[in-house]
Amino acid sequence: MTSVSPPFDDRDGWIWYNGKLVPWREAKVHVLNHGLHYASSVFEGERVYNGKVFKLTEHSERLRVSAQLLGFEVPYSAAQLDAYTLEVVKANKVVNGYVRPVAFRGSEMMAISAKKNKTHVAIAAWEWPSYFSKEAKERGLNLTISKWRRPDPQTAPTASKAAGLYMICTLSKHAAEDAGFDDAMMLDWRGYIAEATGANIFLIQNGEIHTPLPDCFLNGITRMTVIDMARAQGIKVVERHIKPEELADTQEVFLTGTAAEITPVGKIDKYSFVVGNMSKKLMADYEELVRS
Ligand code: PMP
């Protein structure tokens, strides 16, 4: 485990919180809030490259949609969220970093029903170079298949970037790390390949890209960007249900996500892959795109 230092509640800087910038250490919640007890909380993860937030409006819109899928409204338009995000990035002088917006129900009611609860919104930004280490990115990640599965969309609001859906991601990630892996790959409720704990997954099979259909997990903004990028280069991209046994006929694998960017995978349990030319080219092209 990498240590987190300094802790996230004890830093210098500013956090945009319910309408204004507040000193970092003062952006607090009460212990009796609905988000904490009943997981009525949604969030975003955004990247700052050279002072600019990549796909900012897409993220602001997704935050609003995620909340709507949980039955509450973010009380700001996407354009307002964009402006507040840029304000907090500037206030913290973030050049290459990460932005974390979060929206959650407050404390007016403290039971299952939360119809009168106000929505709180906070946006934090900090300098943050990379999610996986440079070394792990070069050799390819070592993944293991989790015992936890992405739920049926009839069981949970799977299209929402909802905090509650991360409970099984943390369990999967911890089990993987305890066993010496970098991350876990999760299957879906039917047994098809779904994604990693915080990133989507792509397989390269005989020069074509195959990626799971996002019908029960987040259709990542990076995922969509990489699909567009690959198609624009004339690479065939197939979105379909993929069985884990197909990893035997797969030459390259990579993950995509705002934090993960494009990160190659070297192993998933008994299956091995190369960090091949197609992955390397897409990584370089993505790097160029985010900084353009
Ligand atoms: N799946 C999960 C579970 C994630 O946490 C993320 C990161 N937000 C993704 C996929 C990738 O989404 P995006 O490319 O929009 O960051």
Side-chain angles (χ1 to χ4, degrees):
M1 258 311 288
T2 48
S3 65
V4 182
S5 178
F8 278 89
D9 56 1
D10 189 15
R11 294 182 173 203
D12 296 330
W14 299 90
I15 291 179
W16 188 93
Y17 193 24
N18 290 336
K20 60 179 192 296
L21 289 174
V22 301
W24 192 286
R25 292 175 184 82
E26 288 169 29
K28 292 182 179 170
V29 292
H30 195 272
V31 291
L32 295 177
N33 84 70
H34 207 271
L36 187 61
H37 290 247
Y38 300 100
S40 42
S41 167
V42 296
F43 66 100
E44 272 305 315
E46 303 162 9
R47 273 278 195 151
V48 188
Y49 295 99
N50 297 335
K52 285 201 328 212
V53 183
F54 184 62
K55 304 260 174 184
L56 173 56
T57 304
E58 284 87 336
H59 284 283
S60 297
E61 276 165 359
R62 188 169 70 183
L63 185 76
R64 291 177 47 77
V65 170
S66 289
Q68 281 161 0
L69 290 167
L70 264 57
F72 66 97
E73 273 303 316
V74 171
Y76 308 103
S77 66
Q80 284 174 311
L81 292 169
D82 285 358
Y84 306 146
T85 302
L86 295 175
E87 198 180 323
V88 79
V89 165
K90 199 170 156 207
N92 291 298
K93 301 186 176 64
V94 177
V95 181
N96 289 295
Y98 190 74
V99 181
R100 170 54 59 90
V102 60
F104 54 96
R105 284 186 172 122
S107 306
E108 287 74 13
M109 293 170 77
M110 189 35 67
I112 308 292
S113 181
K115 294 204 161 182
K116 296 205 168 74
N117 290 41
K118 284 194 194 127
T119 301
H120 297 255
V121 180
I123 310 172
W126 60 91
E127 206 56 33
W128 196 48
S130 185
Y131 185 60
F132 292 110
S133 69
K134 195 168 180 293
E135 179 267 323
K137 279 193 138 183
E138 274 161 16
R139 71 170 149 81
L141 300 176
N142 202 356
L143 307 188
T144 185
I145 297 178
S146 173
K147 70 170 187 175
W148 298 100
R149 293 185 171 199
R150 305 306 307 174
D152 179 342
Q154 294 192 79
T155 308
T158 52
S160 171
K161 193 166 166 63
L165 289 164
Y166 283 84
M167 178 176 62
I168 53 173
C169 298
T170 298
L171 284 168
S172 302
K173 179 98 181 177
H174 283 183
E177 287 177 338
D178 289 347
F181 296 91
D182 298 300
D183 198 359
M185 183 182 83
M186 300 177 78
L187 304 179
D188 72 15
W189 54 291
R190 296 159 296 203
Y192 294 124
I193 292 175
E195 57 171 354
T197 61
N200 292 118
I201 193 162
F202 286 75
L203 282 58
I204 299 179
Q205 300 179 327
N206 306 316
E208 295 176 359
I209 293 182
H210 294 251
T211 191
L213 267 174
D215 59 5
C216 61
F217 56 85
L218 207 64
N219 182 8
I221 291 168
T222 320
R223 178 187 180 279
M224 292 186 269
T225 305
V226 169
I227 290 175
D228 288 349
M229 223 170 68
R231 285 190 176 142
Q233 295 178 13
I235 301 169
K236 186 170 172 197
V237 182
V238 187
E239 296 178 76
R240 63 181 179 86
H241 292 141
I242 304 173
K243 293 187 178 153
E245 304 86 80
E246 283 195 47
L247 293 172
D249 309 311
T250 300
Q251 294 80 47
E252 299 176 44
V253 175
F254 58 84
L255 305 182
T256 67
T258 297
E261 301 173 305
I262 299 181
T263 300
V265 174
K267 279 183 102 174
I268 304 175
D269 290 328
K270 64 180 178 186
Y271 303 104
S272 297
F273 315 101
V274 292
V275 181
N277 290 338
M278 245 171 118
S279 304
K280 282 187 191 155
K281 171 146 180 23
L282 288 167
M283 282 166 77
D285 293 345
Y286 184 77
E287 181 71 27
E288 200 180 305
L289 178 70
V290 296
R291 293 180 185 281
S292 65

